[in-house]
Amino acid sequence: MSASLKGKSVIVTGGSKGIGKGMARVFAGHGARVLLVARNLKDAEAAAQDLSASGGTVGAFAADVTTLSDMEAMAKAAVDRHGGLDVLCANAGIFPQAKIEEMSPESWDHVINTNLKGTFLAIKACVPHLKHSSQGRIVITSSITGPVSGYPGWTHYAATKAGQLGFMRTACIELAKYGITVNAVMPGNIMTEGLQGLGEEYLRTMAASIPLKRLGSVEDIGHAAAFLASNEAAYITGQTIIVDGGQILPESLEALASA
Ligand code: NAP
């Protein structure tokens, strides 16, 4: 447990479910005060109640990452409730599937606006407050899909996840003067509500292709995010941590089977 997260004010976008909720659980377990953000307030409140019941200080806020005024209201809510802002987990994201030939320009824009522009807007709204923290941290949820691997039907998604890393590598230089670090976690296949929607066959074959032979848990990603947000990671910026059970490493099915 990192003592440096105790009492810190943390925002997790996309915190009502999946990876974001797992991140919130880990941060709350370290004694942080967490604001869960999602469009659906009821879901966010239910998640906050669930996490508070296990001992954390967790609240909910409704906001859409595609709208700057929502992101500014979110940042203000964290400051008002917690007396400041130390950590932003820019995690909200969507992954609808469509191959290039069927993908509409509107679907492309929707994914880019949520995953990539939403990351920019959340960070833009939070920087004025993170500047005042002695431990300003931004942790972006990217993916292995895009930066290092590919999957048919996810060209738009993959472009956003690679784009987040390009954004990060300049943002970390711009924000270093405020002592704010910007890093990213790159999850493999993590068991979330969103992933469950892809179906049993997807989940079964995916688990079989992972050297550690299981999908990741949301807390697996939460622990990596908590490390990047901790004081122990103060000298790490513009970097990534892949959390994928070794998924990207086997060169072939034979490489996996012969181990
Ligand atoms: P999930 O279970 O579908 O949860 C998505 C969360 O994002 C929900 O809280 C949702 O709440 C929120 N959200 C969606 N659009 C939003 C918007 N416009 N504004 C604010 N909140 C929004 O997804 P997940 O699997 O946990 O994925 C979370 C992140 O991890 C994404 O960035 C995804 O790309 C990344 N990731 C996931 C995996 C995986 O295997 N699951 C792997 C690699 C990367 P509302 O719908 O109420 O807004």
Side-chain angles (χ1 to χ4, degrees):
M1 171 156 166
S2 173
S4 68
L5 293 173
K6 191 168 172 51
K8 295 294 179 203
S9 170
V10 178
I11 288 175
V12 182
T13 67
S16 66
K17 294 182 203 161
I19 288 175
K21 188 177 172 191
M23 286 177 167
R25 189 187 298 279
V26 172
F27 277 99
H30 285 291
R33 293 169 297 167
V34 185
L35 190 66
L36 298 183
V37 179
R39 289 165 301 176
N40 186 314
L41 183 60
K42 279 207 169 91
D43 286 353
E45 283 175 340
Q49 198 172 8
D50 183 21
L51 297 183
S52 299
S54 52
T57 307
V58 185
F61 191 81
D64 188 328
V65 295
T66 65
T67 307
L68 180 59
S69 56
D70 274 22
M71 292 296 92
E72 289 169 340
M74 165 193 84
K76 185 174 181 306
V79 172
D80 290 347
R81 294 186 201 184
H82 302 146
L85 178 62
D86 303 294
V87 180
L88 166 67
C89 293
N91 166 78
I94 55 172
F95 34 93
Q97 275 186 297
K99 293 191 178 159
I100 296 168
E101 289 170 281
E102 290 90 45
M103 190 187 297
S104 67
E106 292 74 25
S107 170
W108 171 271
D109 286 346
H110 182 49
V111 174
I112 301 286
N113 278 337
T114 305
N115 297 2
L116 188 54
K117 189 176 175 189
T119 298
F120 155 63
L121 293 178
I123 291 173
K124 180 176 174 60
C126 288
V127 162
H129 307 287
L130 291 169
K131 278 159 82 166
H132 301 300
S133 170
S134 59
Q135 196 177 310
R137 300 279 189 271
I138 297 168
V139 182
I140 295 170
T141 306
S142 173
S143 176
I144 57 170
T145 309
V148 288
S149 62
Y151 201 106
W154 274 325
T155 51
H156 45 4
Y157 176 79
T160 65
K161 295 291 144 177
Q164 285 177 310
L165 299 187
F167 173 90
M168 174 190 77
R169 292 187 181 108
T170 286
C172 69
I173 302 172
E174 285 189 22
L175 301 179
K177 60 178 175 285
Y178 306 124
I180 300 171
T181 68
V182 192
N183 293 289
V185 286
M186 296 167 67
N189 279 264
I190 309 303
M191 187 53 102
T192 65
E193 289 88 335
L195 207 76
Q196 264 162 344
L198 299 175
E200 275 308 311
E201 181 63 8
Y202 176 93
L203 299 176
R204 194 185 58 72
T205 55
M206 194 53 85
S209 74
I210 298 170
L212 287 178
K213 295 294 175 210
R214 66 170 176 90
L215 299 186
S217 72
V218 293
E219 287 79 14
D220 287 330
I221 308 304
H223 292 303
F227 168 67
L228 291 171
S230 72
N231 199 37
E232 288 79 356
Y235 202 53
I236 299 173
T237 195
Q239 301 304 312
T240 57
I241 299 180
I242 292 178
V243 186
D244 74 341
Q247 183 178 343
I248 60 167
L249 297 176
E251 294 180 7
S252 67
L253 290 175
E254 170 59 15
L256 198 59
S258 62

